[in-house]
Amino acid sequence: MRRIVSVLDAVLTRVLVLLMLCLVGAVLWQVISRYALGTPSSWTEEMARFLLIWISLLGAAYASRTGMH
């Protein structure tokens, strides 16, 4: 059982890192497209919103599990 929990913790950590990288990339592209290109992307705002929701939910679960919350 401990092996399964440790594997799930490792997977959740990697998923959270990946989601955070996607969030940073989406927001960075939004800033670049708005100020450098002059036309903001329509999909990045919605994607950033959903990524932030998932990062919050999964991050709270991970923090609660590890006792950091």
Side-chain angles (χ1 to χ4, degrees), residues 2-5 8-10 17 19 22 30 32-33 35 37 44-46 49 53 59 61-62 65:
R2 289 184 186 180
R3 174 89 174 138
I4 293 171
V5 170
L8 286 175
D9 283 344
V17 168
L19 289 176
C22 290
Q30 176 70 13
I32 290 171
S33 67
Y35 292 111
L37 303 177
T44 54
E45 184 178 346
E46 195 71 24
R49 184 178 298 127
I53 290 168
Y62 180 74
R65 160 77 180 97

Side-chain angles (χ1 to χ4, degrees), residues 11-59:
V11 168
L12 185 58
T13 303
R14 285 177 172 72
V15 167
L16 284 168
V17 168
L18 179 67
L19 289 176
M20 194 65 174
L21 287 173
C22 290
L23 177 64
V24 169
V27 171
L28 183 64
W29 177 250
Q30 176 70 13
V31 170
I32 290 171
S33 67
R34 178 174 290 171
Y35 292 111
L37 303 177
T39 55
S41 295
S42 60
W43 59 271
T44 54
E45 184 178 346
E46 195 71 24
M47 181 179 174
R49 184 178 298 127
F50 282 116
L51 286 172
L52 185 61
I53 290 168
W54 278 106
I55 289 169
S56 300
L57 290 173
L58 294 175

